[in-house]
Amino acid sequence: MKKLIKSNVYWIGKTDWELESFHGADYTIKHGSSQNAYLITEEKTVLIDTVWMPHANEFIKNVESEIDLNKIDFIVINHGEVDHSGALPALMERIPNLPIYCTASAIKSLTGQYHHPEWNFNIVKTGDSIDIGNGKALVFVEMKMLHWPDSMATYLTGDNILFSNDAFGQHFAVEELFNDESDTCLLWAEALKYYANILTPFSVLVKRKVEEVLALNLAIDIIAPSHGAIWRENPLSIVEKYYEWSKDYQEDQITIVYDTMWESTMQLAHKIGQEISRVSPATKVKIFNVSKTNKNDIMTEVFKSKAIAVGSPTVGQNILSSVGGWLDFLKELKFKNKKAAVFGCYGWSGESTKVLRERLTDAGFEVVMPEIKCNWVPAEDDFSKAAEVANALCD
Ligand code: FEO
């Protein structure tokens, strides 16, 4: 079923209430998601993006119930990832000569995934435009590394709609479609989680791209991303937030992440938390057992933090695999301008704090001294070091 966005522009995507994860299991989805595709029916009939492959038949049936497929003049593929291009093979089977407008990199990703080099590809670059009649045009803006090399956005003149693809999106099912009709608290939480867990590594490029787009002085009435709510009320609010988030964002918060074998390292985690609250009462403290809390939620809290403390006991001259796996993810996100402290208990050899220190340094954190390296179960001496760790993190 299509839904009106504005004038002759319709949403014709998939609201996916059952989706539980994204990028394999790398991103947990708690409030559904959507793959937003759009249909424009001016003098030219245009599709913008499609949906994920499992929904391809439903998508084509929906499009077909609105228009004769042979009346589609062309499709814009803003990004080749399968959640947006997945229905393309089925669509091309029905209308094989359909012109596809996309970036040069998108041809690589689409051909690599679907193996149809004969498709009618047409490369577009920033500033290129296509007249779609009735005084309107589509203007393309490359969005390289937001979040793939092939990503781009498409701007519809006249209606002033920016089809931004993944940028400004959220994994959030919003049947009502628009930000002003959605649960605003959840919407902003999901937008932040999306940025923190997917876009953080590209923050330098996000900042540059936002500056570039704002310098174009485009009138923007609506931002229509490829996931989640469409920004209709105050659409620039999400652009302003992206700009803020892109500049090594941090709040007065310290997040403590640990795992524990027999609760000794856990005791250190809680003591460090108490000492931070004592040393700096205004600082928000969050403490997570990495085995008991969703990793994306922890990462969102790390994104907001000025510093973190990471703890693990020593096991096999190393750290617990739960902490090790989480540190891999932490490194992938390329956080900048954050401090870290390390702590952990051991029975015999005691390598965990050294390993944590190396791993956090490698992930781009400024690892402070002192650390708490505790033999067996924490005693007064170990707990007293928590105040020094708190001071080093709050400094
Ligand atoms: Fe990069 Fe929504 O896919």
Side-chain angles (χ1 to χ4, degrees):
M1 187 186 74
K2 71 178 182 185
K3 295 180 186 174
L4 180 66
I5 302 295
K6 184 183 181 185
S7 307
N8 293 315
V9 180
Y10 302 89
W11 175 93
I12 195 149
K14 170 71 182 176
T15 305
D16 202 338
W17 288 95
E18 269 128 58
L19 198 64
E20 291 180 318
S21 66
F22 188 76
H23 285 167
D26 230 21
Y27 191 108
T28 308
I29 291 174
K30 294 181 184 168
H31 303 104
S33 188
S34 64
Q35 298 119 41
N36 299 336
Y38 300 94
L39 174 67
I40 304 172
T41 54
E42 294 294 347
E43 282 172 27
K44 299 247 192 256
T45 301
V46 183
L47 272 177
I48 296 192
D49 295 321
T50 72
V51 298
W52 187 30
M53 201 170 263
H55 309 307
N57 290 340
E58 182 184 338
F59 173 73
I60 289 172
K61 212 189 286 176
N62 280 344
V63 176
E64 209 165 19
S65 70
E66 303 297 341
I67 45 155
D68 175 352
L69 293 185
N70 291 303
K71 294 257 163 63
I72 302 172
D73 290 285
F74 62 90
I75 185 166
V76 173
I77 294 289
N78 277 324
H79 171 36
E81 195 161 7
V82 69
D83 50 329
H84 309 298
S85 66
L88 196 56
L91 191 69
M92 297 305 281
E93 262 182 39
R94 299 288 303 277
I95 37 177
N97 295 319
L98 182 70
I100 301 168
Y101 286 84
C102 62
T103 62
S105 296
I107 297 178
K108 287 186 199 165
S109 69
L110 294 169
T111 306
Q113 292 174 98
Y114 306 121
H115 311 292
H116 283 289
E118 79 284 3
W119 283 350
N120 183 1
F121 289 115
N122 299 267
I123 296 174
V124 290
K125 300 188 293 302
T126 295
D128 289 350
S129 67
I130 302 177
D131 190 337
I132 58 168
N134 299 324
K136 297 177 185 178
L138 291 174
V139 183
F140 304 104
V141 183
E142 288 167 274
M143 304 277 274
K144 197 170 177 176
M145 296 318 296
L146 298 181
H147 66 126
W148 271 18
D150 67 6
S151 300
M152 72 170 185
T154 300
Y155 176 71
L156 172 60
T157 67
D159 292 321
N160 305 335
I161 301 175
L162 183 70
F163 300 97
S164 59
N165 199 262
D166 283 333
F168 313 125
Q170 333 89 45
H171 283 303
F172 183 32
V174 186
E175 206 67 59
E176 305 83 2
L177 274 191
F178 298 102
N179 64 326
D180 48 293
E181 292 176 348
S182 72
D183 178 328
T184 312
C185 262
L186 267 182
L187 169 65
W188 280 106
E190 290 294 342
L192 176 64
K193 175 181 167 182
Y194 191 92
Y195 188 100
N197 284 273
I198 294 180
L199 290 167
T200 298
F202 313 114
S203 279
V204 172
L205 300 171
V206 172
K207 180 173 176 289
R208 209 178 294 152
K209 186 52 71 176
V210 168
E211 285 166 351
E212 183 190 317
V213 170
L214 291 177
L216 294 174
N217 269 327
L218 297 173
I220 296 179
D221 293 343
I222 289 176
I223 294 179
S226 57
H227 297 292
I230 293 167
W231 303 89
R232 176 174 68 179
E233 185 180 84
N234 193 6
L236 287 182
S237 59
I238 185 63
V239 180
E240 285 155 11
K241 270 290 168 200
Y242 263 47
Y243 196 55
E244 197 181 333
W245 292 338
S246 71
K247 294 185 286 183
D248 300 340
Y249 180 80
Q250 54 179 242
E251 298 174 13
D252 187 3
Q253 177 173 321
I254 296 177
T255 298
I256 300 167
V257 184
Y258 74 96
D259 204 350
T260 194
M261 289 171 75
W262 296 106
E263 300 193 348
S264 293
T265 301
M266 181 189 79
Q267 290 182 47
L268 295 179
H270 287 273
K271 184 65 179 171
I272 292 169
Q274 287 162 14
E275 288 300 324
I276 293 167
S277 293
R278 191 183 58 75
V279 167
S280 176
T283 301
K284 199 176 281 181
V285 176
K286 302 222 173 165
I287 306 175
F288 302 105
N289 179 321
V290 76
S291 289
K292 295 182 180 176
T293 312
N294 178 271
K295 67 180 172 188
N296 302 114
D297 291 340
I298 300 177
M299 223 45 101
T300 306
E301 296 304 329
V302 169
F303 179 81
K304 291 194 284 182
S305 297
K306 61 182 183 183
I308 63 174
V310 182
S312 169
T314 296
V315 54
Q317 299 180 304
N318 202 346
I319 53 177
L320 283 170
S321 60
S322 53
V323 180
W326 184 81
L327 287 170
D328 278 340
F329 187 28
L330 188 77
K331 181 181 174 185
E332 179 190 320
L333 292 180
K334 298 185 169 71
F335 287 109
K336 290 193 179 67
N337 197 30
K338 293 187 196 293
K339 288 183 184 175
V342 301
F343 60 97
C345 296
Y346 68 101
W348 307 108
S349 57
E351 288 87 352
S352 73
T353 51
K354 179 172 176 283
V355 173
L356 288 171
R357 186 169 289 282
E358 287 166 359
R359 297 283 303 272
L360 283 162
T361 303
D362 188 39
F365 285 75
E366 180 202 338
V367 188
V368 299
M369 285 299 270
E371 62 185 33
I372 310 180
K373 181 177 173 180
C374 159
N375 196 205
W376 299 106
V377 172
E380 213 36 58
D381 261 11
D382 306 299
F383 285 132
S384 66
K385 282 192 198 127
E388 295 172 48
V389 169
N391 273 317
L393 290 176
C394 292
D395 249 2

